[in-house]
């Protein structure tokens, strides 16, 4: 695995993706313990997971356009929340 520094975001932009990242992880953990027995709560979780996932992807798409980050066919971007640096990770 190769990690290449390709850019940086502002602290405010970092805060936005960090909140989505933490929310997505929390929802994924909740999904592991929630059963479909509680249909109403289950549907809320599924809807929230979808919305959060869409916002998460939209942030990456928006930042990639704004900063023109290098990309790769089988790569993905990662953020270092402490430094606001963006890395391209490839196999």
């Amino acid at each position: 695995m190769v990690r290449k520094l390709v850019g940086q975001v502002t602290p405010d932009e970092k805060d936005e993706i960090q909140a989505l990242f933490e929310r997505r992880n929390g929802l994924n953990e909740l999904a592991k313990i929630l059963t479909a027995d509680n249909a109403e709560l289950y549907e809320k979780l599924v809807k929230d997971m979808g919305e959060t996932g869409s916002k998460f992807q939209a942030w990456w798409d928006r930042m990639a356009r704004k900063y023109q980050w290098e990309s790769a066919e089988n790569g993905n971007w990662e953020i270092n929340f402490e430094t606001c640096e963006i890395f391209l990770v490839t196999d």
Side-chain angles (χ1 to χ4, degrees):
M1 184 167 73
V2 178
R3 294 179 82 226
K4 178 182 179 183
L5 180 64
V6 293
Q8 193 160 2
V9 294
T10 68
D12 285 345
E13 290 166 341
K14 182 265 304 181
D15 289 346
E16 183 183 351
I17 194 64
Q18 188 168 18
L20 290 168
F21 177 80
E22 290 169 358
R23 180 170 186 83
R24 190 182 69 163
N25 286 353
L27 291 169
N28 286 338
E29 289 301 311
L30 184 57
K32 292 177 184 175
I33 59 171
L34 186 66
T35 64
D37 296 343
N38 185 337
E40 186 179 336
L41 191 56
Y42 185 77
E43 287 304 316
K44 278 179 103 167
L45 174 65
V46 169
K47 182 174 184 266
D48 203 355
M49 287 177 77
E51 288 174 357
T52 301
S54 293
K55 289 176 184 175
F56 187 83
Q57 188 58 53
W59 183 93
W60 285 105
D61 293 344
R62 193 171 73 245
M63 294 300 123
R65 280 192 307 273
K66 178 178 179 179
Y67 294 111
Q68 299 291 302
W69 294 327
E70 179 182 339
S71 61
E73 176 108 7
N74 293 319
N76 63 286
W77 294 301
E78 288 182 357
I79 184 169
N80 178 324
F81 290 122
E82 292 180 14
T83 64
C84 300
E85 293 173 321
I86 304 297
F87 294 89
L88 176 61
V89 181
T90 53
D91 292 336

